[in-house]
Amino acid sequence: MKAYFKKYRRYIIGGQFFKLAEAILELLVPLIVAGLINRLGAGTDKADILRSGALMLGIGIIGFACALICQYSAAKTSESMGRDLRNDLFRIILDLPPEAYGAQSVEALVVRLTADVEKVQIFTAMLIRLFVRAPFLFAGAFIMCFILNPALSLIILAAILMILFAAVLLLRRVPAGFRRIQENEEEAALHIREHVSGITTIRSLQMEEAEIDRFTKGQAKRTELSTSIGTRTGLVEPAVQWILYMGNAATLVFGAALIQRGIILKGTVVAYFNYLTAITVVSVVIIQLLPVLMQGMAAMRRINEVLALRTEVVQGAGLPDMDGKTVWLVQGLSYRYSDKAASAVSDLNLHIKQGEHIGIIGGTGSGKSTLLHLLCGRYTPTNGTISFYEADPSGFSSSVRARCIAFCLQRGKPNTGTLDENIAMGNPTANPGERLAAARLAGLDELLATDGMDHPICAEGNNLSGGQKQRVMLARTLVRTAPVYCFDDAFSALDGRTAERVVRGVHAYLKGKTLLLTAQRIRTVRHCDRILVLSEGRAVACDTHERLMKNCALYQRLAAAEQAVRDA
């Protein structure tokens, strides 16, 4: 966050300077009024009154101009900083590897990008407008009171000490409470997302009441926390006002006594009460600023957690030299999702040449998707090395990775728009003929037969079947231009005949390009040049379909099980 404040330090310092100038001018007004009142008793003339009035008017105009400049600086800085923060956070989030979501959940990242940035904006605006003015005005007013009459100032000093004691007593647990509220909001966002994505399952299992009860309990906890913090912060302001009003009453009593004895003049008492009023108002403002300060600091800490990922992710390696014959060289590769988890991939060696079509097959949990993510640099290996065109793929930024590898996920979701717009996301420079060819290659004939490329698609493809969603994502990948294509079980939602027809077309279309294809069905990978068989993260065999059918027992069992399902 320091870099963002440094970037706009000119506006921050300038705004604070003009706000400080306004505060100084505000402190001068009671002195002018006091002098005028004191001189009235000595028979001051009309010209003196006009001069004092003109002086105060001039101070008011200059103060107004200073306030305008400060307000502009605060608005400019807070909005510009918010824009830069959102842009940078969004870029970092787009570059995050899947393994990073263990420490930063999707909901937490959304909160960082929205609510936390907004809190930082408010904090920045208040930093310029009030965080300098309020303490300075408070201290300046007290000093002026002390100059006017040291004895009376002891009353104000006692009131200030009582205010500090009350603030510490009531607000000491507020920062921790704000953090707990933030965590509760993230939990609520996670619950809502889980509920929306799993609404069909929830209804089919008749779990609506259980989900409502779960959500209600979470909101009750948040309400309890918010009520506790609101009560504590709400009590501070009346406590401060009560203490200051008691100080005012004591000052009035002792001030009247000093006037009767001739120790102090009436104008001085008027000025003293003006400063006392300023202290009262500023004290309330400071108390109101404390929650903003606490929330802003907490938000900046959370944003820093995401910004800390910038060095590892955004500042990645450049585009590798892709003229070599070896695409991937994997040696002793192992990976585990956490220190306590079992290895998802263990001691794997692999050599993939330019233009090869490699299939990866195995049962559920065998490590197919994990291996594919490792090869594409989305995960960082626990042990071993991966060379992608003689470079480390884990050091690539998302833009470099996208130029090297066209990646199709198993559960990708289309966006709101037309079929043509969704396919164009894969390659905005592709012409209409190329987008149409990709749609036909992906087997989207039934959509093309109704509305053509203008077929409407709802949010997340909710008006499409599972197989149609998968084929839209497949077309989006095929329309891209890259030396390497990776399909992570991207044909699993297609029926057997459609999958085999589309896969044959993909092999023909990507002839000469490097292709990696993971699947659970042999008929999806049987046409690959080589097929890597995985079991519990280990490579069992890597050969052609024909040789594996003769020499690999695990592959034979997979083929037999698939045939049994097909016959049934």
Side-chain angles (χ1 to χ4, degrees):
M1 288 297 305
K2 290 182 181 179
Y4 297 92
F5 285 102
K6 187 176 181 180
K7 181 178 179 181
Y8 295 100
R9 64 181 180 275
R10 181 179 63 178
Y11 288 100
I12 294 173
I13 296 173
Q16 291 177 337
F17 171 79
F18 283 102
K19 204 65 178 176
L20 193 60
E22 181 203 358
I24 293 173
L25 293 173
E26 188 174 339
L27 290 174
L28 293 176
V29 173
L31 287 179
I32 298 173
V33 173
L36 181 61
I37 293 174
N38 290 335
R39 290 194 299 273
L40 285 175
T44 185
D45 57 6
K46 185 178 180 180
D48 187 18
I49 297 174
L50 292 176
R51 281 195 301 271
S52 298
L55 180 60
M56 287 188 286
L57 179 62
I59 289 174
I61 293 172
I62 297 172
F64 178 72
C66 290
L68 283 180
I69 296 172
C70 175
Q71 295 295 335
Y72 171 79
S73 300
K76 172 77 174 178
T77 304
S78 61
E79 293 302 321
S80 299
M81 187 181 292
R83 176 201 62 206
D84 294 346
L85 269 175
R86 288 189 182 94
N87 289 340
D88 290 347
L89 287 172
F90 191 71
R91 291 191 187 99
I92 293 171
I93 290 169
L94 286 180
D95 276 309
L96 283 178
E99 59 188 357
Y101 290 101
Q104 300 287 341
S105 67
V106 174
E107 289 69 29
L109 292 173
V110 171
V111 172
R112 304 294 187 274
L113 189 60
T114 53
D116 282 347
V117 172
E118 184 178 354
K119 289 173 183 175
V120 171
Q121 285 183 270
I122 297 173
F123 171 84
T124 304
M126 294 299 103
L127 174 68
I128 298 173
R129 293 171 182 166
L130 295 173
F131 281 171
V132 171
R133 179 185 183 276
F136 178 82
L137 201 58
F138 184 92
F142 176 74
I143 291 171
M144 296 304 294
C145 287
F146 187 82
I147 292 173
L148 290 173
N149 192 284
L152 284 177
S153 300
L154 294 176
I155 299 174
I156 305 302
L157 180 62
I160 291 173
L161 293 176
M162 293 175 65
I163 289 171
L164 291 175
F165 176 77
V168 171
L169 182 65
L170 293 172
L171 299 177
R172 58 180 177 175
R173 296 181 181 177
V174 170
F178 280 128
R179 287 195 295 271
R180 289 198 298 272
I181 287 177
Q182 187 64 52
E183 293 169 359
N184 188 270
E185 288 177 352
E186 292 172 4
E187 290 175 3
L190 175 61
H191 181 209
I192 292 171
R193 186 168 73 97
E194 289 176 345
H195 184 84
V196 172
S197 60
I199 188 66
T200 304
T201 303
I202 292 171
R203 288 175 178 172
S204 64
L205 297 175
Q206 297 182 347
M207 294 177 61
E208 293 93 338
E209 292 300 325
E211 286 296 306
I212 292 172
D213 183 62
R214 176 187 166 195
F215 186 79
T216 302
K217 287 180 179 179
Q219 291 306 298
K221 181 180 178 182
R222 185 186 186 284
T223 302
E224 182 181 350
L225 283 170
S226 299
T227 303
S228 175
I229 291 176
T231 301
R232 287 178 175 274
T233 55
L235 286 174
V236 173
E237 184 173 338
V240 169
Q241 289 181 339
W242 183 84
I243 292 171
L244 287 173
Y245 289 151
M246 293 299 100
N248 287 349
T251 303
L252 186 62
V253 171
F254 285 102
L258 292 175
I259 291 174
Q260 289 178 346
R261 295 178 184 178
I263 299 175
I264 190 171
L265 298 174
K266 294 179 181 179
T268 303
V269 174
V270 171
Y272 191 93
F273 271 97
N274 283 333
Y275 288 126
L276 202 57
T277 302
I279 290 175
T280 303
V281 173
V282 171
S283 298
V284 174
V285 171
I286 292 174
I287 295 302
Q288 292 174 344
L289 282 177
L290 288 177
V292 176
L293 173 64
M294 295 173 186
Q295 292 183 52
M297 296 296 291
M300 283 191 284
R301 281 195 297 269
R302 291 192 295 268
I303 289 173
N304 275 328
E305 293 173 1
V306 181
L307 292 175
L309 302 173
R310 188 204 321 252
T311 303
E312 301 178 9
V313 178
V314 178
Q315 299 174 356
L319 196 68
D321 182 8
M322 293 179 285
D323 294 332
K325 294 182 179 180
T326 297
V327 181
W328 272 291
L329 181 61
V330 180
Q331 295 178 318
L333 178 64
S334 296
Y335 179 78
R336 60 179 64 195
Y337 286 95
S338 66
D339 294 335
K340 297 181 180 180
S343 294
V345 176
S346 300
D347 196 25
L348 191 142
N349 299 291
L350 186 62
H351 181 204
I352 300 175
K353 299 178 182 178
Q354 181 74 47
E356 273 195 301
H357 289 193
I358 304 296
I360 304 174
I361 195 168
T364 302
S366 60
K368 304 184 298 298
S369 296
T370 303
L371 175 59
L372 202 60
H373 284 293
L374 285 164
L375 293 176
C376 294
R378 294 169 176 264
Y379 294 166
T380 302
T382 304
N383 292 305
T385 60
I386 301 175
S387 172
F388 178 73
Y389 287 108
E390 300 183 355
D392 181 5
S394 63
F396 295 160
S397 65
S398 61
S399 59
V400 171
R401 191 183 298 122
R403 292 173 63 184
C404 298
I405 303 169
F407 198 99
C408 185
L409 294 168
Q410 177 187 4
R411 297 180 181 177
K413 295 179 180 179
N415 295 71
T416 304
T418 64
L419 175 61
D420 187 57
E421 290 170 344
N422 269 272
I423 295 175
M425 289 180 180
N427 183 7
T429 62
N431 59 51
E434 291 171 334
R435 298 195 294 270
L436 178 60
R440 287 175 174 167
L441 183 59
L444 291 167
D445 303 291
E446 69 273 24
L447 298 185
L448 294 172
T450 53
D451 300 296
M453 294 295 283
D454 293 324
H455 186 89
I457 296 178
C458 298
E460 298 187 352
N462 288 332
N463 61 330
L464 304 178
S465 66
Q468 288 171 335
K469 290 180 187 179
Q470 211 166 53
R471 279 176 282 168
V472 170
M473 303 307 296
L474 181 62
R476 184 186 291 180
T477 304
L478 291 171
V479 80
R480 292 181 55 189
T481 302
V484 178
Y485 289 78
C486 295
F487 298 94
D488 183 16
D489 214 358
F491 306 92
S492 59
L494 279 62
D495 62 86
R497 290 184 179 180
T498 302
E500 191 164 359
R501 173 171 58 84
V502 173
V503 169
R504 283 181 178 271
V506 169
H507 280 295
Y509 179 72
L510 298 179
K511 187 176 181 180
K513 300 289 185 72
T514 305
L515 170 64
L516 265 65
L517 182 65
T518 70
Q520 295 189 42
R521 295 183 297 194
I522 288 177
R523 65 192 305 176
T524 304
V525 299
R526 63 182 299 170
H527 301 294
C528 293
D529 299 323
R530 286 186 294 153
I531 302 171
L532 175 65
V533 184
L534 293 178
S535 176
E536 297 181 351
R538 296 182 178 274
V540 177
C542 185
D543 214 328
T544 63
H545 169 72
E546 291 75 16
R547 291 177 181 173
L548 289 172
M549 287 298 293
K550 293 179 181 179
N551 304 320
C552 181
L554 176 58
Y555 193 79
Q556 292 168 1
R557 289 198 299 271
L558 291 172
E562 187 176 322
Q563 184 62 46
V565 172
R566 194 181 307 155
D567 294 341

